[in-house]
Amino acid sequence: MALSRHHTAGSAPMNVLEIIERAEDFDFDPTRDLRSWLRAARMLLTEAALCEQDGNLQMAYLYLYRHAELVVGKLPLHPQIKDPKFKADFASARKVVAKNLMKLEQWKPRITLEHQRYIKAVERRNAERQRVRDERRDDEHERISSGDLHRLSLVGDEEAYQDLRETLNAADHRQLAVDLARQELRRRDVNRQSTRQAGISPHMVASRRQGMVLATPDDEEQIGSRGQAGGSRYDERLPRRDDRRPTEPQRDFPYDTPVSQSYQYPSVPHKEQRMSWDGGPAQASSAAPPLPAKDSVRDQPPPRPAKTARPDLAAAVTQKSAAQVTFKPNAFTEGGVPLRTVFLPPTLRMTFLNLAHSNTLRNLETCGILCGTLISNALFISHLIIPGQTSTSDTCDTTEEGDNALFDYCDSNDLLVCGWIHTHPSQSCFLSSRDLHTSSGYQIMLPEAIAIVCAPRSNPDWGIFRLTDPPGLPAVLGCHQRGLFHPHEESNLYTDALRPGHVVEGPGLKFETVDMRKP
């Protein structure tokens, strides 16, 4: 299973042990470069932060636990772990695990309470279903319609749990999705500006999330020695699937309410204005109001209220915020795993072609990175980033400096890497063997990651693709051929992601262009 794989949105709430079981279920290939795994770990933290903002604590818990499992349980076994150039990044990743363990413990009672609410809702549903059956069987005079019984039999466990969110199909509500995304992004920008005004830079926020705190050489040496020994001081603190002790909520008041150590006495209200008692009691009026005429009441019925058109679903949902709507996946992998919908700005491709025009004239490839965010269980591409790169007529590679600047920017702005876009100046529209390996690196971090190919001299002149899963993704990840271009024995390695697929063009969806190339 891919590192960032998730469960279906709107499914039944899970308990902590179920979340842990899913968090531990991911594929780890020690032959892949350690740098890519460290970047994948940073992506997990970003996804966790976005899920927390979205109010989805169980998925935030899953991603943080998976991050801890990757950093503490898998990376120490990587053959490059002793390489000095990875020492600082690995030490920072381990530090953030310690901080996140406290957050996981704080979330456990809330997740447990949510799961208990779901169990009680299912029990009420089952009791109501049984009551209808009993009444229908025991009391023939009081007929229970078969429609009521049929309706109850169709209610699933997920529907028995009354979620406050409206579940919609993203492809059928494109404009609504764009409007909600615009509203949510505006809200996040306001929060980000407030953070800046408080004197906390975006880089500082990202550094705190990544655990990039100053450490002494002795501290790093101790962390490295523990990792090399294959153990961890955090291992005993990580909850495991074999820990069968249920986690019960520890308090009855809201969990967002801070607990004060001292009693807060109620404030004394201000004195009211003194009333005057010198005027004597109020005199009642002797004149009673006249009674209405009987004829006027009987002969003039009240007017009927004017009929109003019933608002449609889109208009009703527009009044809600993104936190009250969730978009269900409308596409699946070849293995049946759901893929979240990716909303793509329709004008992004032409903007990229304009940026790549000078290279295209010289028969040089150009690449860009598609970055976005998670809103209501859908991915919205909001940034086109052109990193520092080197190009030939058949290849395009980001430089190490360009890679570092790219991921630093993504961390500082809570962005997910949703794929890449590149040109084929003189070739047709397809994914080469080299492109397949590049795309596999993005899809192992985010299953919905896509590859857009622009071939101006070909027909068709563009396409949106993803690796099939299976067979494409596992086959490419398991390929260790060294040639620049090499054939793969497997067929059906990639497929269209737009028609049909999980990519939807969002009308009016705006995006930001960041060109990091040096002039």
Side-chain angles (χ1 to χ4, degrees):
M1 180 173 287
L3 189 64
S4 181
R5 184 66 70 202
H6 56 92
H7 74 293
T8 306
S11 62
M14 298 179 288
N15 60 36
V16 173
L17 293 179
E18 290 171 336
I19 297 175
I20 291 174
E21 183 176 0
R22 298 200 182 201
E24 293 177 344
D25 182 18
F26 66 92
D27 299 325
F28 177 75
D29 183 5
T31 63
R32 290 189 65 83
D33 186 61
L34 180 58
R35 181 180 287 105
S36 65
W37 284 117
L38 290 170
R39 287 172 178 166
R42 294 165 69 175
M43 282 271 290
L44 287 175
L45 295 178
T46 301
E47 285 221 67
L50 292 174
C51 287
E52 184 180 6
Q53 291 180 19
D54 214 20
N56 193 344
L57 275 191
Q58 68 173 359
M59 286 308 302
Y61 190 101
L62 187 150
Y63 286 130
L64 286 189
Y65 190 96
R66 183 170 291 176
H67 173 270
E69 181 69 20
L70 174 64
V71 172
V72 176
K74 304 294 185 181
L75 295 189
L77 306 177
H78 198 282
Q80 293 179 299
I81 197 62
K82 296 182 180 180
D83 192 326
K85 66 181 179 181
F86 300 118
K87 185 176 181 180
D89 290 339
F90 182 55
S92 297
R94 291 177 65 89
K95 286 180 182 293
V96 78
V97 169
K99 181 182 69 174
N100 287 337
L101 285 176
M102 294 185 293
K103 181 176 288 188
L104 290 176
E105 288 299 318
Q106 293 172 357
W107 287 350
K108 283 170 66 175
R110 301 173 65 178
I111 293 173
T112 300
L113 181 61
E114 190 73 9
H115 181 260
Q116 290 174 346
R117 289 177 55 199
Y118 161 71
I119 295 298
K120 292 179 180 178
V122 173
E123 291 174 351
R124 288 194 300 269
R125 185 282 314 268
N126 292 337
E128 178 66 15
R129 181 182 296 175
Q130 187 61 40
R131 183 190 66 80
V132 172
R133 289 197 183 100
D134 293 343
E135 289 183 1
R136 187 179 187 187
R137 181 183 64 249
D138 298 338
D139 192 351
E140 296 180 356
H141 298 288
E142 194 171 335
R143 297 183 179 275
I144 303 297
S145 68
S146 59
D148 291 341
L149 186 62
H150 180 65
R151 177 184 59 80
L152 285 173
S153 64
L154 291 179
V155 176
D157 289 349
E158 290 83 3
E159 296 179 18
Y161 177 73
Q162 297 296 324
D163 196 346
L164 297 178
R165 293 189 172 201
E166 189 81 30
T167 301
L168 302 175
N169 187 306
D172 296 338
H173 299 85
R174 302 185 186 192
Q175 188 59 58
L176 173 62
V178 172
D179 293 342
L180 289 177
R182 187 182 296 115
Q183 174 186 348
E184 176 64 14
L185 291 174
R186 189 182 301 115
R187 184 190 68 82
R188 294 181 185 180
D189 286 340
V190 171
N191 291 341
R192 192 176 293 111
Q193 291 174 6
S194 299
T195 303
R196 290 195 184 102
Q197 292 175 358
I200 305 175
S201 66
H203 179 71
M204 178 63 70
V205 174
S207 299
R208 290 178 179 178
R209 183 184 306 127
Q210 305 298 338
M212 297 177 183
V213 295
L214 295 177
T216 63
D218 293 339
D219 293 337
E220 295 182 354
E221 199 66 39
Q222 293 175 4
I223 293 173
S225 62
R226 283 193 295 267
Q228 295 171 8
S232 169
R233 61 173 175 162
Y234 309 129
D235 289 345
E236 295 181 356
R237 297 178 59 185
L238 280 174
R240 296 292 175 182
R241 281 179 287 176
D242 54 1
D243 183 7
R244 299 301 176 185
R245 292 174 298 177
T247 303
E248 300 293 340
Q250 300 297 322
R251 47 187 176 177
D252 298 326
F253 47 86
Y255 294 93
D256 293 331
T257 306
V259 180
S260 176
Q261 300 299 327
S262 60
Y263 180 77
Q264 300 294 329
Y265 289 94
S267 58
V268 179
H270 296 290
K271 285 186 177 181
E272 297 181 356
Q273 195 173 10
R274 288 191 62 184
M275 297 182 63
S276 175
W277 301 95
D278 299 333
Q283 299 295 327
S285 176
S286 59
L291 294 174
K294 294 183 179 181
D295 292 340
S296 63
V297 175
R298 181 171 54 248
D299 296 340
Q300 298 179 4
R304 289 185 178 182
K307 292 184 177 180
T308 57
R310 181 181 179 182
D312 57 5
L313 179 61
V317 177
T318 305
Q319 304 300 323
K320 301 181 181 181
S321 65
Q324 296 172 300
V325 176
T326 184
F327 295 103
K328 61 183 178 181
N330 59 355
F332 300 83
T333 67
E334 290 67 24
V337 178
L339 293 171
R340 292 169 292 190
T341 301
V342 175
F343 283 93
L344 176 69
T347 59
L348 184 144
R349 181 172 55 91
M350 292 307 301
T351 299
F352 171 71
L353 285 174
N354 290 334
L355 292 171
H357 182 66
S358 60
N359 277 357
T360 303
L361 292 178
R362 294 180 293 162
N363 197 31
L364 296 175
E365 285 194 2
T366 307
C367 68
I369 308 300
L370 308 173
C371 299
T373 188
L374 179 67
I375 299 174
S376 298
N377 199 52
L379 295 163
F380 293 83
I381 294 178
S382 58
H383 287 71
L384 169 63
I385 302 178
I386 313 297
Q389 55 195 266
T390 58
S391 303
T392 68
S393 59
D394 301 317
T395 64
C396 181
D397 296 303
T398 57
T399 63
E400 182 176 355
E401 182 182 358
D403 263 346
N404 293 334
L406 165 68
F407 282 93
D408 287 344
Y409 183 88
C410 290
D411 292 339
S412 300
N413 292 275
D414 288 338
L415 294 175
L416 298 172
V417 177
C418 301
W420 66 308
I421 180 173
H422 71 291
T423 57
H424 282 181
S426 57
Q427 299 185 50
S428 59
C429 184
F430 73 107
L431 289 182
S432 67
S433 59
R434 186 180 180 88
D435 296 339
L436 293 174
H437 282 269
T438 302
S439 295
S440 68
Y442 293 124
Q443 277 188 230
I444 196 65
M445 291 191 296
L446 191 74
E448 294 82 5
I450 58 176
I452 302 179
V453 179
C454 300
R457 301 180 183 179
S458 177
N459 186 21
D461 59 354
W462 69 288
I464 304 178
F465 309 106
R466 68 167 177 86
L467 271 64
T468 56
D469 186 16
L473 184 60
V476 174
L477 290 175
C479 174
H480 304 296
Q481 299 185 53
R482 298 293 184 182
L484 185 61
F485 296 102
H486 55 270
H488 293 95
E489 297 180 358
E490 298 81 0
S491 59
N492 189 31
L493 292 177
Y494 65 94
T495 186
D496 197 330
L498 179 63
R499 293 180 293 267
H502 67 291
V503 178
V504 173
E505 289 188 313
L509 185 60
K510 304 297 182 181
F511 66 96
E512 183 177 347
T513 302
V514 181
D515 195 341
M516 296 182 172
R517 295 175 296 181
K518 294 182 178 179

